[in-house]
Amino acid sequence: MRDRVAQLRQHSVETRPFISAERARLLTEFYAANDGKYSVPVMRALAFKYLCGHKTIYIGESELIVGERGPEPLATPTFPELTCHSLEDLEILDSREKTSYGVSPEVIEAYNETVIPYWRGRSIRERAFQLLPPEWHDAYEAGIFTEFMEQRAPGHTVADGKIYKKGLLEFKEEIAATIVDLDFIDDPEAYDKREQLTAMDIAADSLIFLAQRHAEMARQLAEVELDEGRKAELHRIARNCERVPAHAPTDFWEALQAYWFYHLGVITELNGWDSFNPGHLDQHLEPFYVKGLDDGSIDREDAKELLECFWVKFNNHPAPPKVGVTAAESGTYTDFANINLGGLKRDGTDGVNEVSYLLLEVIDEMHILQPSNNIQLSRKTPDRFLKAAAKVIRNGYGFPSVFNADSVVEELLRQGKTVEDAREGGTSGCVETGAFGKEAYILTGYFNLVKIFEVTLNNGWDPRTGKQLGPETGDADDFESIEELFEAWRTQVHHFVDIKLRGNHVFDRLYATAAPAPLLSLITDDCIRKGKDYNDGGARYNTSYIQGVGTGTLTDSLAAIQHLVFDQRSLSMKELLEALDSDFEDQEKLRQLLVNKPPKYGNDDDAADDLMVACFEAFYEAVEGRPNARGGEYHINMLPTTCHIYFGSVIGATPDGRHASQPLSEGISPVQGSDRHGPTAVFKSAAKMDHIKTGGTLLNMKFTPHLLAGDDGIDNLSSLIRGYFKMDSHHVQFNVVTADALREAQARPDEHRHLIVRVAGYSDYFCDLSQALQDEIIARTEHEGF
Amino acid sequence: MTTGVVFNIQRFAVHDGPGIRTTVFLKGCALGCPWCHNPESRPFGPVLSILPERCVVCDACIEVCPPGLARPPGADSTIYGTDPKRCLRCGACAEACPSGARTLVGRASTVDSLMFDLDKDRIFYDESGGGVTFSGGEPVTPGRNVEFLLAALAACRVRDYHTAVDTSGHAPRETLLAVAEVTDLFLYDLKLMDDELHRSWVGVGNRLILENLEALAATDTEIWVRVPLIPGVNDDERNLEATAAFVASLPKPCPIHLLPYHRIGGDKYRRLGESYPMDQVLPPSREHTGAIAAGFRSYGLEVKIGG
């Protein structure tokens, strides 16, 4: 790593993230002065233009890639038009133990005097909450589901290759041509389309202007720069910013800078989930890399330095912080930009190239929180690449995670994408499948399958909130078979999916009508052609997901009841329910029986795994194919991020022997500690789920380092992954760390601040995690033999 | 129907032959190596293992024990209850134990039921060039498990699984040769080259073991010679040189796998109610092991540290 990179990295890693009120202040100024003058899309575009024109421009001392969302690195803007922080929220952000954000008195003042008075009652969140029915609020407050769009805009989106092939001036020509072709007589939507297209045009100009402002600043800095080398770099930066994103990039450096401006624009316009993401970066950069080597304008080390400078930019941008309850609980700076390596090309050939290997080296050298990264492994991916990735995985930073590119393609085909669009797709966020540059695939919330099971055992009633949340599906005492219990649960699942969908439609329409995203739209096919916004069905594909949580806990709970209550008849349902009500008070013997005796998911035992499959299929049937409000369909994902902690906290004791309030199992991983037959058994169990019917599953495996030692260790890890993927599974990630090392880090956090662990679809600093999550990671089974 | 007494089926075994394997541990061994890390494997019948920390003192074991002997672990009881001689080894207490504190180690298995478990990881054998390893105890013991072993090896061969047999070599020659017919690899232990020392440490002489190795080396079956490095027992220069010279003189090249002594098995003795005879012995240093490996290599042998 060159000194420049080391310095930039150090600054990024050591600076405490802080809230910047600049965006909120500028946006409020603009809205206060202009609200009501324009159509909503044009208003949004002009607000974006105002931000691009007035935000503070920052060029760091030795930076090669320039542009910050805030006034400087780690400055984190807010989005009061979507969700407006209260003064109390800001205080919590500043004072909370984990992942805090510095909040200065100036920010408090701006919020108190300008931002809050204007946005109170106007934010999307407040408007949505008024429109949602009481049963939605009851289920939401009970912890049946979460709602993604109450604080952040629809996102999860990824760029494809078009931004490297044309500049914004060409996009503007397409917009102009589309406007010319509008039929203002026979197309009653022509007016709406023109407003939308005009907004995209303004957004394009705004981003070009933002780049121009960076060019000017670079030139001014160059004039006063004494060091000749840096002076030349600043002139080069100025030229880059004049060329891109107005024009298509012509070389490696410009290509990275071009992407970065689009990235900044997308995350300034709105705070979409999972930031923004260059997707198949290695494939996009390869032509520039090859050309640079050929004409001698770049060598391998220069390219790596540029990539490393680019890496730091992601890490400079923490996730926009939440408000309300989640302000205290939500604990990560990661914003989930998840870069894809390898995979397939549009024509179906192997996508690995020299830049892929270069990026693995970058990941290994940088080991910083952001960007997340993964390899897309297909049958065609060379073993050499898999093994190179396995060596990075072995180093224990939790990167890269591994996806089955063949399954990803099959999932997308099943959803109706063309085979080319599917191959150009990949995964973003945690594990979500999407057609890059052509799809709005919106995650709408986590769905607490275990809470619904608790409600089922209580005949539709929630013991925690004391409310009748679901239909009366029968007293658990009266069930005479596991099938009857299962049917009752299935009925409850349908009931709560209906409530969730009803709420989702409200959010869909609010974002479509009140918060369009013209910049994101103009780079997402086919928003220009349709004259429609990304948030209003403008994309070629418009998918919504609901994410099921608690697979392991739910399966083991059902298996315990089947085994002890219905098969052995050694325990009555009444006794079990009483023990659960009291959280196993004076019932440790029973709890131990529940923990140790019934079949458990994760051991390649059909007695448990068949129940997992039944639960999965029931959830799938409840959601699959139902319409969203953007002209697309719903599908399911099986992933929790860190929501299994929150979801566990709202549930009493469960029949698998889990104590009240403890975390649920995460992703499709087994209950912590219940997988006793090693990784191959976990893989076999997990693969019994039909992953192809999902848009992503998350499996977390933890290994202690010594079993990965040597070439044999790399071979075995590679074979494990290939074996799991041969069974059409979706994703696996590895924590390579010992439990003792984690305990040590827990005891002395100051000495282990840099310890990164894979949490649930992303990597995070171990010491930043809540005690509960730390404990859980420690407790996860260390596989025998490792 | 042929049955064998299996005490563990270990999936994702990566130190018992090439690739990702399932290792089947069969009970019973005539040798008495004090460094054995599978002491529960020695008797041919089932044994009880108790983890006192897990006991929740719920009396479930007392309630179910047919002769009424079982007691929670403590000063007034052995592993096998108040009168060990009358324990039936029936496992009722382990079955009833809610916390997993009690385990009955060793269960009769048919070849079919064993193959059901071995088939589970077929996909990983295929991907990794792995397969199935039979270990123990001593799997090649006539009159005990060897019929079962031969039947299981034949069933693996039908499925095209790579197989390995981990043996002490202390078995009749014709039995070992019969096993060689249906297995791809022997993991063959060589502990001590001196007959008397061998007898004094493990209870039997080594002549049969050495002659058997020579005989097996004349067959087509591959052999990896495994040398446990036990400090103070067999890690002296004289023994190691004799071992190297012997392996180098075999009719075909056999790689050497040095297995440095470790104490991971030590806790098992406690759970069996036995004391661990090598409690005070420390694992050999990395440097010492490296030097020993170099010594073997000087005989032109292929050497690997670890299984």
Side-chain angles (χ1 to χ4, degrees):
Chain A
M1 186 186 304
R2 290 181 179 168
D3 287 350
R4 176 208 312 272
V5 176
Q7 283 160 13
L8 290 169
R9 180 185 180 282
Q10 189 180 10
H11 185 248
S12 185
V13 166
E14 292 182 357
T15 305
R16 181 194 180 201
F18 59 100
I19 299 294
S20 160
E22 184 179 70
R23 183 186 180 283
R25 201 174 40 73
L26 290 171
L27 189 87
T28 309
E29 260 170 40
F30 184 80
Y31 265 80
N34 294 286
D35 196 20
K37 290 185 190 167
Y38 310 100
S39 68
V40 171
V42 170
M43 182 69 187
R44 289 294 308 169
L46 289 172
F48 178 62
K49 184 178 180 188
Y50 192 73
L51 292 171
C52 289
H54 292 83
K55 80 173 287 300
T56 306
I57 302 294
Y58 172 89
I59 295 180
E61 250 176 48
S62 55
E63 283 192 312
L64 297 177
I65 308 294
V66 299
E68 286 288 327
R69 175 177 52 181
E72 58 186 287
L74 284 307
T76 310
T78 53
F79 296 74
E81 71 273 39
L82 305 181
T83 175
C84 187
H85 289 78
S86 66
L87 296 182
E88 189 196 355
D89 291 329
L90 294 171
E91 278 158 27
I92 290 171
L93 288 178
D94 190 42
S95 62
R96 72 182 180 193
E97 207 177 316
K98 303 290 180 185
T99 54
S100 68
Y101 293 76
V103 179
S104 68
E106 292 73 36
V107 170
I108 299 280
E109 193 188 315
Y111 259 76
N112 195 29
E113 290 176 7
T114 316
V115 180
I116 294 174
Y118 183 81
W119 290 106
R120 188 182 293 137
R122 288 190 170 92
S123 74
I124 293 264
R125 185 168 193 255
E126 285 171 279
R127 290 174 62 190
F129 277 14
Q130 284 179 4
L131 293 168
L132 294 161
E135 59 266 33
W136 186 95
H137 284 283
D138 285 347
Y140 176 76
E141 280 154 23
I144 300 274
F145 49 69
T146 65
E147 171 50 58
F148 269 37
M149 261 61 76
E150 51 121 344
Q151 306 212 12
R152 294 187 69 174
H156 307 281
T157 195
V158 183
D160 62 6
K162 64 172 117 26
I163 59 173
Y164 306 93
K165 295 183 181 121
K166 55 187 178 186
L168 280 170
L169 295 175
E170 287 149 287
F171 284 102
K172 278 171 63 71
E173 285 169 17
E174 283 174 37
I175 292 167
T178 311
I179 293 178
V180 166
D181 286 346
L182 286 175
D183 177 351
F184 286 91
I185 296 165
D186 287 328
D187 179 0
E189 290 181 7
Y191 163 77
D192 289 339
K193 290 177 181 172
R194 188 189 61 191
E195 291 305 297
Q196 196 62 57
L197 289 161
T198 304
M200 292 185 209
D201 190 61
I202 295 166
D205 286 337
S206 309
L207 196 65
I208 293 171
F209 185 49
L210 180 69
Q212 187 58 41
R213 292 183 67 207
H214 283 84
E216 281 162 22
M217 183 170 182
R219 207 144 266 146
Q220 284 165 15
L221 289 171
E223 276 170 27
V224 296
E225 177 63 51
L226 300 175
D227 181 275
E228 284 305 315
R230 182 58 185 165
K231 189 190 272 286
E233 282 172 3
L234 285 163
H235 279 298
R236 174 66 208 260
I237 289 167
R239 284 204 306 281
N240 289 348
C241 297
E242 273 159 1
R243 172 166 288 279
V244 298
H247 306 276
T250 61
D251 67 12
F252 194 82
W253 195 343
E254 286 176 5
L256 287 170
Q257 184 65 64
Y259 172 77
W260 189 248
F261 277 126
Y262 286 105
H263 186 96
L264 279 187
V266 169
I267 66 172
T268 298
E269 172 177 68
L270 283 172
N271 64 356
W273 275 95
D274 294 351
S275 183
F276 191 50
N277 175 349
H280 289 291
L281 186 64
D282 49 356
Q283 294 186 29
H284 301 320
L285 292 178
E286 194 209 11
F288 301 106
Y289 182 68
V290 170
K291 177 172 165 281
L293 290 183
D294 283 352
D295 65 21
S297 60
I298 199 167
D299 65 19
R300 198 172 190 281
E301 288 307 305
D302 293 337
K304 194 200 259 186
E305 181 179 41
L306 284 166
L307 288 170
E308 292 183 337
C309 289
F310 183 70
W311 234 240
V312 170
K313 298 306 281 188
F314 285 90
N315 202 59
N316 285 351
H317 292 79
K322 310 276 176 56
V323 305
V325 177
T326 39
E329 289 180 354
S330 177
T332 179
Y333 293 131
T334 298
D335 209 11
F336 299 93
N338 199 342
I339 293 175
N340 290 227
L341 276 61
L344 296 165
K345 292 196 234 180
R346 184 175 176 79
D347 63 3
T349 56
D350 170 38
V352 173
N353 61 58
E354 191 51 31
V355 181
S356 318
Y357 289 96
L358 199 52
L359 282 170
L360 282 178
E361 288 174 32
V362 169
I363 293 162
D364 201 16
E365 284 182 16
M366 297 300 281
H367 62 96
I368 45 181
L369 206 52
Q370 303 193 84
S372 301
N373 50 75
N374 67 76
I375 65 161
Q376 301 280 318
L377 183 71
S378 87
R379 292 183 296 271
K380 295 167 188 166
T381 305
D383 281 344
R384 181 192 154 212
F385 184 66
L386 173 57
K387 287 179 185 177
K391 284 178 186 163
V392 181
I393 290 170
R394 180 166 69 181
N395 290 338
Y397 318 131
F399 292 131
S401 58
V402 190
F403 287 88
N404 185 351
D406 303 312
S407 285
V408 167
V409 169
E410 206 173 331
E411 289 158 24
L412 289 168
L413 288 174
R414 194 193 70 82
Q415 296 175 358
K417 276 87 173 174
T418 68
V419 73
E420 289 87 358
D421 288 353
R423 287 171 185 149
E424 282 189 332
T427 53
S428 64
C430 288
V431 297
E432 299 88 87
T433 295
F436 294 172
K438 301 159 197 77
E439 182 174 18
Y441 49 114
I442 311 303
L443 275 66
T444 66
Y446 298 111
F447 198 73
N448 196 340
L449 297 168
V450 185
K451 181 73 194 179
I452 294 171
F453 187 67
E454 183 185 45
V455 165
T456 307
L457 287 177
N458 288 281
N459 201 3
W461 182 76
D462 175 25
R464 191 177 68 94
T465 59
K467 289 183 180 171
Q468 184 72 28
L469 297 178
E472 292 187 359
T473 44
D475 269 328
D477 274 358
D478 298 337
F479 295 135
E480 285 175 9
S481 68
I482 195 76
E483 288 78 15
E484 285 181 26
L485 171 60
F486 184 81
E487 282 312 311
W489 175 77
R490 185 207 294 273
T491 302
Q492 299 285 356
V493 168
H494 276 268
H495 171 76
F496 290 112
V497 166
D498 286 351
I499 294 175
K500 174 70 177 144
L501 290 179
R502 192 172 162 190
N504 284 358
H505 298 332
V506 170
F507 282 97
D508 266 356
R509 292 315 301 157
L510 261 182
Y511 273 95
T513 55
L519 179 70
L520 179 56
S521 299
L522 84 96
I523 53 171
T524 304
D525 298 330
D526 303 312
C527 294
I528 296 178
R529 192 174 60 72
K530 292 188 194 170
K532 275 204 164 220
D533 192 78
Y534 177 88
N535 287 341
D536 191 21
R540 185 172 302 168
Y541 308 106
N542 292 283
T543 308
S544 298
Y545 286 107
I546 298 176
Q547 304 98 252
V549 176
T551 301
T553 308
L554 175 64
T555 302
D556 290 358
S557 293
L558 277 164
I561 291 175
Q562 173 159 32
H563 185 73
L564 295 172
V565 177
F566 294 120
D567 291 352
Q568 288 194 348
R569 300 200 171 267
S570 58
L571 174 70
S572 75
M573 188 70 91
K574 190 161 178 293
E575 288 169 307
L576 174 64
L577 293 179
E578 282 169 7
L580 298 181
D581 276 347
S582 72
D583 194 16
F584 301 111
E585 194 182 344
D586 300 325
Q587 295 275 4
E588 185 58 15
K589 179 182 172 187
L590 172 59
R591 199 185 77 81
Q592 289 288 339
L593 264 179
L594 294 166
V595 168
N596 291 296
K597 294 299 181 183
K600 300 279 175 181
Y601 168 68
N603 295 289
D604 197 7
D605 177 354
D606 287 341
D609 297 346
D610 287 351
L611 290 166
M612 179 279 288
V613 171
C615 293
F616 169 80
E617 292 290 340
F619 176 49
Y620 170 80
E621 284 161 18
V623 175
E624 173 65 19
R626 302 186 71 175
N628 64 23
R630 295 176 293 115
E633 285 185 352
Y634 274 89
H635 305 295
I636 60 167
N637 276 324
M638 302 303 281
L639 75 120
T641 313
T642 58
C643 201
H644 57 300
I645 309 258
Y646 163 65
F647 274 177
S649 75
V650 298
I651 305 175
T654 40
D656 62 336
R658 171 190 150 280
H659 274 300
S661 308
Q662 292 301 301
L664 305 179
S665 58
E666 54 87 37
I668 59 166
S669 312
V671 167
Q672 296 79 350
S674 70
D675 50 319
R676 291 160 195 168
H677 291 91
T680 57
V682 174
F683 282 141
K684 287 286 303 293
S685 282
K688 291 173 194 174
M689 176 182 285
D690 191 346
H691 295 230
I692 304 300
K693 287 177 169 172
T694 74
T697 63
L698 185 149
L699 179 65
N700 208 336
M701 303 285 275
K702 178 170 172 248
F703 290 108
T704 49
H706 78 272
L707 215 107
L708 298 178
D711 292 343
D712 287 351
I714 293 299
D715 288 347
N716 289 331
L717 183 60
S718 304
S719 303
L720 268 179
I721 296 168
R722 291 267 195 204
Y724 183 47
F725 285 0
K726 219 175 185 178
M727 297 184 279
D728 290 345
S729 57
H730 178 83
H731 155 274
V732 61
Q733 64 193 23
F734 299 93
N735 267 309
V736 185
V737 68
T738 63
D740 282 343
L742 294 174
R743 280 188 207 98
E744 160 72 16
Q746 198 175 37
R748 296 184 188 76
D750 285 342
E751 295 169 29
H752 300 277
R753 287 276 171 219
H754 298 295
L755 175 62
I756 294 180
V757 291
R758 201 81 199 175
V759 182
Y762 71 100
S763 287
D764 213 332
Y765 288 112
F766 181 75
C767 298
D768 282 349
L769 303 173
S770 67
Q771 168 96 23
L773 193 51
Q774 288 183 351
D775 286 345
E776 186 213 318
I777 291 176
I778 292 171
R780 192 189 308 285
T781 308
E782 290 191 78
H783 293 286
E784 289 273 324
F786 250 66
Chain B
M1 197 185 300
T2 313
T3 61
V5 182
V6 174
F7 73 92
N8 189 14
I9 296 175
Q10 177 82 54
R11 295 169 69 174
F12 194 63
V14 293
H15 293 131
D16 297 324
I20 294 171
R21 312 183 72 79
T22 300
T23 299
V24 182
F25 292 89
L26 298 173
K27 271 188 73 61
C29 180
L31 273 53
C33 313
W35 54 84
C36 181
H37 59 264
N38 284 333
E40 75 277 32
S41 74
R42 289 167 170 169
F44 285 97
V47 293
L48 270 176
S49 166
I50 299 186
L51 235 180
E53 295 82 1
R54 278 213 182 186
C55 177
V56 293
V57 201
C58 66
D59 296 351
C61 51
I62 302 177
E63 287 161 20
V64 299
C65 177
L69 307 171
R71 295 288 179 275
D76 61 338
S77 174
T78 70
I79 292 278
Y80 296 99
T82 50
D83 186 356
K85 285 194 283 288
R86 287 173 53 217
C87 173
L88 305 171
R89 311 291 204 265
C90 67
C93 59
E95 193 63 38
C97 178
S99 66
R102 287 173 175 265
T103 323
L104 185 74
V105 184
R107 281 174 202 282
S109 169
T110 64
V111 174
D112 282 351
S113 77
L114 175 68
M115 294 315 293
F116 177 79
D117 282 328
L118 296 184
D119 289 342
K120 286 181 172 178
D121 274 350
R122 175 191 56 77
I123 208 160
F124 297 100
Y125 310 153
D126 285 353
E127 278 302 323
S128 67
V132 176
T133 297
F134 293 87
S135 182
E138 171 51 65
V140 191
T141 308
R144 295 291 184 173
N145 284 320
V146 80
E147 300 303 318
F148 177 75
L149 173 69
L150 287 166
L153 285 167
C156 286
R157 187 147 281 191
V158 169
R159 290 163 167 79
D160 208 15
Y161 296 161
H162 178 275
T163 55
V165 174
D166 181 11
T167 180
S168 67
H170 184 73
R173 177 138 338 122
E174 58 276 21
T175 313
L176 277 168
L177 288 171
V179 171
E181 289 285 315
V182 284
T183 194
D184 301 302
L185 169 68
F186 279 108
L187 306 173
Y188 200 103
D189 269 23
L190 277 189
K191 300 172 180 76
L192 277 155
M193 293 304 289
D194 183 276
D195 189 50
E196 273 313 304
L197 281 174
H198 197 279
R199 191 182 307 279
S200 73
W201 277 109
V202 309
V204 300
N206 67 7
R207 190 163 303 161
L208 177 64
I209 292 170
L210 297 178
E211 287 171 8
N212 281 343
L213 180 53
E214 285 173 324
L216 287 177
T219 71
D220 291 336
T221 302
E222 197 181 346
I223 302 170
W224 295 359
V225 173
R226 308 226 284 188
V227 180
L229 291 180
I230 318 296
V233 176
N234 70 349
D235 64 342
D236 56 288
E237 206 167 307
R238 189 166 153 217
N239 180 58
L240 294 171
E241 296 227 342
T243 306
F246 178 76
V247 177
S249 74
L250 291 170
K252 70 175 169 198
C254 299
I256 297 259
H257 288 216
L258 298 176
L259 309 181
Y261 166 79
H262 62 71
R263 295 195 286 185
I264 296 167
D267 200 56
K268 287 185 175 177
Y269 287 84
R270 181 177 67 96
R271 296 179 197 183
L272 298 170
E274 298 172 17
S275 61
Y276 183 39
M278 304 207 60
D279 205 18
Q280 304 303 315
V281 178
L282 297 175
S285 71
R286 198 174 283 252
E287 295 71 30
H288 185 44
T289 308
I292 291 169
F296 277 98
R297 287 196 186 97
S298 70
Y299 282 80
L301 296 165
E302 185 191 327
V303 183
K304 193 175 158 199
I305 297 169

